[in-house]
Amino acid sequence: MSLPNAVTLRVVVSASAALLTALPATALAQSGPTDLEPIIVTGAARGYIALNSVTATKTDTALIDVPQSVTVVTRAQLDDQALYSLGDVLRYVPGVTVGQGEGNRDQITLRGQNTTADFFIDGVRDDTQYYRGLYNLDRVEILKGPYALIFGRGGGGGIINRVQKAPSAAGQFLGVRASANSFGAYDLSADLNAPIGAMAAFRINAVYEQLDNHRDYYEGERFAVNPHVAVDLGNGWKAGLSYEHIDDDRVTDRGVPSLAGEPIRGYRDQFFGVPGVNRTTLEADIVKLRIDGAVTPDLSFSTTALYGDYDKVYTNVFPSGAATARTGTVALDAYSDPTTRQNLLIQSNLVWTAATGGVGHIVLFGLEYGDQDSTNRRTNGVLSNRTFNLANPVFPTVVFSAPARNTVSHVESVSAYVQDQISFGERFEAVVGLRYDRFDIDGVDLQPNPDRPFARTDDKVSPRLGLIFKPRPEVSLFASYSQSFLPRSGDQFLTLSTTQANLEPEEFVNHELGLKWDVRPNLRGVELGITGRISPAWQISGGYAWQEAVLQGNDAVRLAQVPEHQFSLWNRYDVTDRLGLGLGVIHQSDQFAAIRTSAATTRLPAFTRVDLAAFYAVSDTVQVQLNVENLFDATYFSDAHNNFNISPGAPLNARLTVRTRF
């Protein structure tokens, strides 16, 4: 679809207050939708701008009518910025900071809430700890604020939803991409779509990545493949079946230690693990089935079933304390942590559209069932030398022989929810809903002698209320109230102590006021952000977030990894039909690496990074792209896990990509 010459601007300003209610003893290639598209969460997009989403309400809703902050990063933007990980994507999203994840998983902080589990794929929970790829995605959606009504437990600060590419009946095509960067990393990927007669289509995405960066001893490789078939069943019913296999093997790197309350300087490339020991591996198999269709003209049904089998191991040797001096020593520690998980998740929705007395209703009825089995065993390492000498670096040897944890757990969850999107004429809208969750965990900690069983059942009700006033069709003012909760067994169900078992779940409450304004039809903003086209040749995506993250009742306790100010802006300008240029800027003010409870807490300094890109269409089917990261070679620290594990940002580097489509 071509864009009009007269283009539009949407500006969204959002202010929110997120509240953690702590109970006693709480620890602190865009193909577009098609006639065979079975995954209705894809929504419509034009370049960098997404027009609508099913994720935020589970109904197909224009983003201007969603009474909460939503940021969408489309396939076009993922490609232009040469993004390869969720961490890369989220650095350009205001209100989100990326954590180190101990060098083995995605970990983020959304509105002050740190999480390893608030990730979803096509609206279904994806809570195992691993690095998620982007090769098979149509878009990434970032929803901010508690979303228990739609997504259940967790999501105290928001959630990340990945939307997979889906088969298309529009025609056959093959896309191939080859890319390499100046560190020595490279990747090859392919995207093949083929109609199967008039009633079905098949699509397969695959990628191989050889990993490398500026850090000593870092390396790895990842292979993934995702075949996907879609079938028109007739009478308005469709089905989609997807299978993804992931094989990931890489070095775990927990960065550099601190010195006197700041990251140590001068050791940007120094590895503080043990070569050959620090490693994380993942094998995952994920099957997803979706069926949807129209029961009547006013009633539609969809159901999604996902089964995932994950086998992961990570082994870490890492700094466990601050450096004693610039050329002094650093304490080390080590452990090995294998985990397996099997997830069975089923989600069904009915959407009824009706009008009564001039009032419109889109009513959602939903049921969810989850069955999750997890095993986790941790073994501490015994080091030949527990200190690392910065003046004379010699890696110790390590033997893993001290059991620390051995847990088996089973989680069963059942949820029911109802939501009504109400339209009072053209100016007033409301979103009202209620969700019931029953979360049941039982397990055994096998490490004590005798074994220690644990169990707890929680029944929670989560409300949602959103009000929208539209003085003009292109302007909406909204207010929102929402809640979420997190059971005491945490993100990953690893343990439940006797004390925790007696405590109610943590609760999260969000109050939000916002403005969305379509100044022009193709530009939208979120939280003082803008995304879309200023002119037919100029696309932008960016935002600014101001956050003050403190513990309720004690303003002296500052939350971890929440910079007060964040700014990002990415531009693409097409100089000619064949030549385009890109320019990006990221700025973050300083932030604490861990919850600040004393002056000794490590502070990550503020930084500004500038990125550059050039795009050239060699022909109608071949494009060459050069992306330069950290153009001015700034020294900065991108993220952290705690006071003593801090990741140095990459120096000046470049990536060359060749992309073709037939």
Side-chain angles (χ1 to χ4, degrees), residues 333-451:
D333 210 339
Y335 64 85
S336 177
D337 195 299
T339 300
T340 66
R341 176 167 296 169
Q342 293 80 41
N343 284 351
L344 174 62
L345 302 161
I346 302 172
Q347 178 187 116
S348 297
N349 296 297
L350 274 172
V351 178
W352 176 50
T353 303
T356 57
V359 178
H361 298 269
I362 302 176
V363 183
L364 167 73
F365 304 94
L367 293 172
E368 287 186 8
Y369 173 77
D371 189 284
Q372 300 177 268
D373 289 298
S374 304
T375 68
N376 175 262
R377 185 176 70 256
R378 176 165 294 193
T379 305
N380 289 333
V382 179
L383 296 158
S384 61
N385 190 344
R386 299 189 67 87
T387 59
F388 187 81
N389 191 325
L390 294 170
N392 182 27
V394 176
F395 297 113
T397 59
V398 57
V399 176
F400 296 95
S401 59
R405 182 174 65 219
N406 192 0
T407 303
V408 176
S409 68
H410 175 251
V411 167
E412 188 172 34
S413 57
V414 179
S415 308
Y417 48 91
V418 61
Q419 173 187 267
D420 191 3
Q421 295 171 254
I422 309 169
S423 299
F424 303 95
E426 297 181 354
R427 294 184 181 272
F428 293 95
E429 299 178 13
V431 179
V432 182
L434 207 62
R435 179 183 179 117
Y436 166 78
D437 284 278
R438 181 179 178 86
F439 178 87
D440 191 348
I441 182 171
D442 66 84
V444 179
D445 187 346
L446 301 172
Q447 182 55 39
N449 189 11
D451 298 346

Side-chain angles (χ1 to χ4, degrees), residues 44-92:
R46 300 174 182 173
Y48 291 178
I49 190 169
L51 304 176
N52 63 324
S53 172
V54 172
T55 307
T57 59
K58 290 195 185 295
T59 64
D60 196 2
T61 302
L63 288 177
I64 197 170
D65 294 330
V66 175
Q68 277 187 281
S69 297
V70 182
T71 299
V72 178
V73 183
T74 65
R75 183 74 247 177
Q77 187 173 343
L78 295 174
D79 288 340
D80 281 359
Q81 292 184 263
L83 304 176
Y84 280 78
S85 69
L86 280 181
D88 291 340
V89 174
L90 298 174
R91 294 194 199 283
Y92 271 90

Side-chain angles (χ1 to χ4, degrees), residues 39-194:
I39 308 299
I40 61 171
V41 293
T42 298
R46 300 174 182 173
Y48 291 178
I49 190 169
L51 304 176
N52 63 324
S53 172
V54 172
T55 307
T57 59
K58 290 195 185 295
T59 64
D60 196 2
T61 302
L63 288 177
I64 197 170
D65 294 330
V66 175
Q68 277 187 281
S69 297
V70 182
T71 299
V72 178
V73 183
T74 65
R75 183 74 247 177
Q77 187 173 343
L78 295 174
D79 288 340
D80 281 359
Q81 292 184 263
L83 304 176
Y84 280 78
S85 69
L86 280 181
D88 291 340
V89 174
L90 298 174
R91 294 194 199 283
Y92 271 90
V93 177
V96 183
T97 51
V98 179
Q100 183 192 87
E102 297 181 281
N104 71 84
R105 62 181 180 257
D106 292 320
Q107 186 160 356
I108 58 171
T109 299
L110 279 146
R111 290 189 173 173
Q113 303 301 325
N114 187 273
T115 180
T116 67
D118 291 330
F119 300 95
F120 291 76
I121 180 71
D122 288 332
V124 181
R125 188 173 296 277
D126 175 33
D127 57 5
T128 306
Q129 294 180 339
Y130 69 105
Y131 284 118
R132 295 156 178 83
L134 309 179
Y135 75 103
N136 61 340
L137 299 189
D138 183 78
R139 59 203 264 168
V140 178
E141 301 177 325
I142 302 94
L143 285 66
K144 299 164 193 173
Y147 273 90
L149 174 66
I150 298 301
F151 298 106
R153 67 182 185 274
I159 66 99
I160 308 296
N161 183 53
R162 297 175 298 140
V163 178
Q164 283 183 300
K165 298 176 182 177
S168 168
Q172 183 169 313
F173 63 80
L174 171 63
V176 178
R177 182 185 67 193
S179 178
N181 73 12
S182 53
F183 296 131
Y186 64 87
D187 69 278
L188 299 169
S189 64
D191 180 1
L192 171 65
N193 182 84

Side-chain angles (χ1 to χ4, degrees), residues 92 570 582-586 609-613 628-631:
Y92 271 90
W570 171 262
L583 177 65
V585 179
I586 300 172
R609 193 185 88 189
V610 177
D611 301 332
L612 195 67
V628 178
E629 180 184 306
N630 197 3
L631 179 65

Side-chain angles (χ1 to χ4, degrees), residues 306 545 590:
L306 182 148
D590 59 7

